[in-house]
Amino acid sequence: MRFLLVDRVESYEANESIRGFKNAAMSEDYFEWHFPERPIVPGVLILESFVQLAGWLEAASSDFERWFLVDHVHVARYYAFAGPGDRIDLQLDVVEADGERRVLSGTSHVGDERGAIVEFEGHVVPLSDLEGEARARRTFAALR
């Protein structure tokens, strides 16, 4: 099963940036234990949302030939909590692209509050090594 943590891709500029969001629904399993008295979205899942956006940016920029895989997180700072019913807006920018390596920087907001700042790097791989191009295209179309 694919664990999608991006509900919508609002816009992207090939090889440069992508914007999307994640809606935090009360039905998400992690809210039961994180935390029972005050449910919040785990920070690592917000980071994963950014990484998935990086994958979608790479796929859309390469006509669904490549995907991004993270291998090093430089910065992950969290400033505001997101809970059930919140929308987490995500903005991700390519800082550096050198051959197969990518460095990306992102910010999130929950309403008017800054939610997180991240910077990570990784490399691109053939999308066909991970899943079929047709399935990726259908999923991206649904996210748009």
Side-chain angles (χ1 to χ4, degrees):
M1 179 168 92
R2 187 169 201 167
F3 198 37
L4 291 174
L5 291 171
V6 175
D7 291 320
R8 176 75 61 199
V9 171
E10 295 184 302
S11 65
Y12 74 95
E13 190 164 332
N15 301 307
E16 290 189 26
S17 64
I18 189 167
R19 277 186 334 110
F21 64 84
K22 164 74 179 138
N23 288 315
M26 187 61 196
S27 60
E28 311 258 7
D29 292 340
Y30 51 79
F31 281 137
E32 183 177 356
W33 300 106
H34 198 269
F35 294 92
E37 298 297 317
R38 183 167 190 246
I40 61 171
V41 178
V44 69
L45 295 183
I46 295 170
L47 177 62
E48 174 64 16
S49 296
F50 280 112
V51 173
Q52 288 183 14
L53 269 181
W56 289 120
L57 177 61
E58 190 63 41
S61 298
S62 67
D63 196 29
F64 294 86
E65 292 182 10
R66 297 186 306 266
W67 190 262
F68 173 84
L69 296 177
V70 67
D71 56 29
H72 186 88
V73 177
H74 297 273
V75 175
R77 294 191 181 108
Y78 302 94
Y79 300 95
F81 293 125
D86 286 336
R87 174 178 151 150
I88 305 166
D89 291 298
L90 306 156
Q91 169 70 39
L92 188 65
D93 300 296
V94 175
V95 174
E96 184 180 327
D98 182 20
E100 301 300 308
R101 300 293 303 164
R102 306 283 186 269
V103 177
L104 297 109
S105 176
T107 58
S108 74
H109 286 83
V110 178
D112 292 334
E113 288 187 71
R114 177 174 59 175
I117 294 175
V118 299
E119 183 177 288
F120 53 87
E121 69 179 280
H123 60 282
V124 296
V125 297
L127 178 61
S128 61
D129 288 356
L130 304 172
E131 73 174 289
E133 172 196 336
R135 180 178 176 177
R137 283 183 187 277
R138 282 192 309 272
T139 303
F140 188 71
L143 291 173
R144 295 280 297 150

